Amino acid sequence: MKNPVKVLILLFLLAGIMFFGKMFIDTDYFKVQEVLVEGKSDLLRQDITAQLEQMKGKNIIYLNTDEIENHIKKDVRVKKVSVKKLFPSKIKVVLEEREPYVYIKKGDETLLADKDLKIYGDILEEPAKNIPIIDYTDDESLNAMKTILSKIKNKDFYAMISEIRQSEKNYEILLTNNVRIITETTVTEKKYEEAYRLYEKIRKKGPVISMDLRFIDKIIVKWYFTWN
């Protein structure tokens, strides 16, 4: 009979611990008192903070951080997000927002887009930046320009780009000094690097008008030669 008595005592002790533990967990000690939101953009940080105000007063133990992250990710400005519980009563949210890499222009609209050409806001939401304008007409042309832009790895070359646009059956990269570079989606990263080096070499001898990169084994350059 001793063993059954011990088992009963242990069960009562366990039940008591669970009961009082549950009572302790459900006290105000574990209610969310503060939501900390970190990120570069003041506007995004304020918007997310306002959305998460409803979490205050809820029990931190029962909050599902995955659900909170998924909710925040619905905001197109958010690239990545991390939500952590800081016991006993704080929630910390770290935002990685999309950063403007190009302006996307369609008709009268000019929108912000990141490096993946993911549109996430209006041009008026950010201070003006010296970044290229992508002028597209449909999803097909936008995807083509995304392919072209992804192959331009040289930062100095990228900084020279004013606009990328569709021209008849081809695409054009317009530099800030109005040099026109004719290209297509099959042009490789290596070819863009070669074009940049060739451009830097030729422009010292005379103004470059245009460069055509569509040919496999050559680059056609139009330029004005000037005698020293």
Side-chain angles (χ1 to χ4, degrees):
M1 294 296 291
K2 291 182 179 180
N3 286 338
V5 172
K6 288 182 179 179
V7 170
L8 285 173
I9 293 172
L10 287 173
L11 288 174
F12 277 118
L13 285 173
L14 182 59
I17 291 171
M18 292 176 65
F19 176 76
F20 288 107
K22 180 70 166 57
M23 287 183 63
F24 176 59
I25 287 173
D26 289 339
T27 60
D28 291 345
Y29 185 70
F30 289 104
K31 286 184 178 180
V32 176
Q33 301 295 326
E34 187 176 5
V35 179
L36 306 171
V37 181
E38 296 181 0
K40 293 180 180 179
S41 170
D42 291 338
L43 179 60
L44 178 59
R45 195 167 59 246
Q46 291 168 9
D47 289 347
I48 297 300
T49 300
Q51 292 177 34
L52 300 182
E53 278 293 311
Q54 59 181 336
M55 289 198 307
K56 289 185 178 180
K58 293 186 177 180
N59 193 300
I60 194 172
I61 303 292
Y62 306 128
L63 288 176
N64 187 319
T65 55
D66 289 337
E67 288 183 359
I68 298 170
E69 288 179 0
N70 289 334
H71 171 74
I72 294 173
K73 286 177 183 176
K74 291 179 181 178
D75 191 313
V76 293
R77 296 170 294 177
V78 177
K79 186 175 182 180
K80 292 181 181 178
V81 60
S82 172
V83 178
K84 294 182 179 179
K85 298 177 181 180
L86 302 180
F87 288 96
S89 60
K90 293 182 181 180
I91 297 293
K92 182 179 180 180
V93 178
V94 180
L95 301 169
E96 181 181 340
E97 50 266 36
R98 300 185 186 278
E99 296 186 1
Y101 192 71
V102 295
Y103 292 126
I104 299 287
K105 187 176 181 181
K106 186 179 181 182
D108 296 330
E109 286 188 302
T110 303
L111 306 170
L112 297 169
D114 66 3
K115 198 168 186 177
D116 298 321
L117 298 198
K118 175 73 174 180
I119 297 172
Y120 67 91
D122 188 89
I123 188 174
L124 298 176
E125 295 177 17
E126 293 272 355
K129 296 181 180 294
N130 293 321
I131 55 178
I133 296 172
I134 302 294
D135 195 347
Y136 82 107
T137 54
D138 51 34
D139 290 342
E140 183 180 353
S141 63
L142 184 62
N143 288 331
M145 293 183 203
K146 179 179 179 180
T147 300
I148 291 168
L149 197 59
S150 69
K151 294 177 182 178
I152 301 174
K153 304 294 186 182
N154 187 305
K155 292 182 179 179
D156 292 327
F157 186 19
Y158 167 78
M160 294 163 56
I161 298 174
S162 171
E163 185 178 354
I164 301 177
R165 62 195 181 192
Q166 189 171 7
S167 175
E168 297 179 356
K169 295 182 180 180
N170 303 307
Y171 292 90
E172 292 182 356
I173 298 172
L174 188 67
L175 303 186
T176 53
N177 57 1
N178 292 322
V179 174
R180 189 166 60 97
I181 298 176
I182 306 167
T183 188
E184 57 188 12
T185 56
T186 56
V187 174
T188 63
E189 178 185 337
K190 182 180 179 182
K191 192 73 171 285
Y192 284 115
E193 185 63 35
E194 290 173 352
Y196 172 73
R197 291 200 299 268
L198 181 60
Y199 169 79
E200 286 294 296
K201 182 178 179 180
I202 293 177
R203 75 184 183 94
K204 296 175 183 177
K205 299 179 181 179
V208 177
I209 301 171
S210 67
M211 303 179 75
D212 195 334
L213 314 185
R214 294 172 296 171
F215 304 93
I216 295 175
D217 57 351
K218 58 186 174 182
I219 297 173
I220 298 177
V221 181
K222 290 183 179 181
W223 59 295
Y224 290 115
F225 179 79
T226 56
W227 295 94
N228 293 328

